[in-house]
């Protein structure tokens, strides 16, 4: 199970997000929404999770296969329209890969854990503590 803690004080929209191991990420809203743009917006963080998971999953697979994958660039765009959320993921695979390897790595990207989470029904429960 993944667990984080997010805390906001009085500074407008500046949020400190901590992992159980002490890693820290700062989130904020853009200036035009009243924030100071000191960190990723919540939507950027969501898109970042998909990008990071995609890169790591593709890298792990290529390494396990011994393929010459130099770099994975994942560009993620998140948009919302008419009650539907869309992620556009653009992958650039750098290295000496043939068409079959590229096709396989695309399938691997589409099976990354965050992709699976976002593709399935999601339940959010909120309780006061």
């Amino acid at each position: 199970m993944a667990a984080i803690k997010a805390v906001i004080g009085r500074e407008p929209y500046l949020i400190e997000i901590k992992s159980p191991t002490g890693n820290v990420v700062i989130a904020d809203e853009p200036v035009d929404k009243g924030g100071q743009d000191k960190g990723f917006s919540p939507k950027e963080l969501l898109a970042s999770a998909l990008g990071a998971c995609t890169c790591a999953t593709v890298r792990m697979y290529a390494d396990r296969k011994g393929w010459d994958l130099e770099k994975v660039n994942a560009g993620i765009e998140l948009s919302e329209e008419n009650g539907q959320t869309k992620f556009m993921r653009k992958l650039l695979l750098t290295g000496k890969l043939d068409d079959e390897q590229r096709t396989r790595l695309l399938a691997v990207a589409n099976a990354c854990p965050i992709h699976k989470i976002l593709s399935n029904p999601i339940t959010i429960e909120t309780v006061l503590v």
Side-chain angles (χ1 to χ4, degrees):
M1 173 173 61
I4 62 95
K5 290 189 178 181
V7 178
I8 188 169
R10 292 194 178 272
E11 192 170 351
Y13 313 122
L14 185 67
I15 302 135
E16 186 176 87
I17 304 166
K18 289 186 181 179
S19 74
T21 58
N23 295 311
V24 177
V25 174
I26 299 298
D28 198 356
E29 290 291 344
V31 173
D32 65 342
K33 291 190 176 179
Q36 299 172 61
D37 203 21
K38 290 184 177 180
F40 286 86
S41 73
K43 287 181 184 178
E44 289 170 337
L45 286 169
L46 182 58
S48 296
L50 180 59
C53 187
T54 299
C55 288
T57 302
V58 170
R59 165 57 61 206
M60 285 181 214
Y61 187 88
D63 287 351
R64 195 168 60 242
K65 291 291 190 177
W67 293 351
D68 184 19
L69 176 64
E70 293 175 18
K71 189 186 289 185
V72 180
N73 285 311
I76 311 293
E77 296 173 8
L78 187 161
S79 61
E80 298 171 271
E81 193 172 310
N82 300 322
Q84 183 177 13
T85 302
K86 179 181 178 180
F87 290 88
M88 172 56 79
R89 178 172 46 190
K90 297 177 183 178
L91 292 180
L92 175 61
L93 305 175
T94 305
K96 296 176 184 169
L97 302 166
D98 62 32
D99 288 343
E100 189 175 309
Q101 289 170 322
R102 289 179 178 282
T103 298
R104 181 65 188 134
L105 291 175
L106 176 59
V108 167
N110 286 327
C112 85
I114 297 298
H115 181 120
K116 289 179 182 179
I117 288 169
L118 293 172
S119 298
N120 289 315
I122 296 172
T123 301
I124 300 173
E125 294 180 25
T126 305
V127 297
L128 293 175
V129 294

